[in-house]
Amino acid sequence: SNILETLKIALHFKRYSLFFRFYILILVIVIVLIVTFSVYISNLLSQDAMEQTEQIHEQVLAQTAREIDRALHFLEQILAVTANSQDIVDAAIRPGLMYTDRNQAVAAYLRDIPESNIFIDAIWLYEETTEMVFASDGTVSSLDRYSGAQMLDAVCGRADRGEDAVVIAETGRSRTV
């Protein structure tokens, strides 16, 4: 409405008068300045929003990395405690199916690990010299009779063959040796 009134006033003046030209020039300059200022402020605000979003994403990624490190450290501690268990060490040193009580104690120990840890679904102890498998489902058997023998062969094929016992933990979709 103000612009229309201004245009009505401007029409009363001659088109080519100095006042009319000056008034139109100032009006164009003001409009260009307003548009330029608006675009500049809009770019500043969007750039600031992008920077804040990037900072939030960095913080989320850093927190996720810390949580993954904690989970992996936790799993490492579980595996270290498992590998140092008296029954596990005894099974690695004196393997054989004839030690029934000890073998059942190892199977019970392995069964407790997935039940008490949300990060581990299953765990196996494979003793290479006698090819015995101790599983967290309570199974103690030779490798040729074990139902997951192909999976163990594949994982152990990548492990260091110089070790007598290899502890294998399966967490979710991945397997760790």
Side-chain angles (χ1 to χ4, degrees):
S1 66
N2 283 341
I3 294 175
L4 288 176
E5 288 177 19
T6 307
L7 287 176
K8 284 181 186 176
I9 293 172
L11 290 176
H12 290 293
F13 295 101
K14 293 182 181 178
R15 283 190 170 178
Y16 300 108
S17 72
L18 186 61
F19 178 76
F20 183 75
R21 287 182 184 175
F22 181 72
Y23 186 75
I24 293 298
L25 180 65
I26 288 180
L27 185 65
V28 168
I29 289 173
V30 167
I31 290 173
V32 168
L33 286 175
I34 289 172
V35 168
T36 304
F37 184 72
S38 298
V39 168
Y40 177 73
I41 293 297
S42 173
N43 285 342
L44 263 171
L45 291 175
S46 67
Q47 185 179 11
D48 187 46
M50 284 178 28
E51 287 175 0
Q52 287 179 352
T53 303
E54 286 176 8
Q55 287 177 346
I56 290 170
H57 287 169
E58 285 178 15
Q59 290 172 353
V60 167
L61 289 174
Q63 180 66 25
T64 302
R66 283 191 297 273
E67 292 301 321
I68 289 172
D69 285 344
R70 283 188 200 130
L72 291 175
H73 182 69
F74 180 69
L75 290 173
E76 182 182 4
Q77 287 177 336
I78 290 170
L79 292 177
V81 169
T82 301
N84 291 324
S85 164
Q86 182 64 36
D87 290 327
I88 302 267
V89 170
D90 189 44
I93 293 173
R94 295 181 307 140
L97 290 172
M98 61 218 139
Y99 302 106
T100 311
D101 292 339
R102 191 245 2 245
N103 293 346
Q104 290 307 316
V106 169
Y109 184 81
L110 294 178
R111 184 179 25 236
D112 289 341
I113 292 174
E115 290 174 359
S116 61
N117 299 288
I118 61 171
F119 297 115
I120 299 175
D121 295 326
I123 186 166
W124 302 271
L125 173 70
Y126 173 59
E127 199 289 311
E128 219 172 17
T129 56
T130 59
E131 294 188 338
M132 279 184 56
V133 177
F134 300 88
S136 58
D137 63 2
T139 306
V140 178
S141 67
S142 61
L143 182 62
D144 57 346
R145 288 194 225 153
Y146 184 63
S147 60
Q150 289 180 336
M151 184 273 309
L152 285 174
D153 279 338
V155 173
C156 290
R158 289 182 240 141
D160 183 11
R161 292 294 182 179
E163 297 179 14
D164 288 340
V166 178
V167 176
I168 304 166
E170 178 178 277
T171 59
R173 295 184 195 108
S174 62
R175 293 183 181 98
T176 306
V177 177

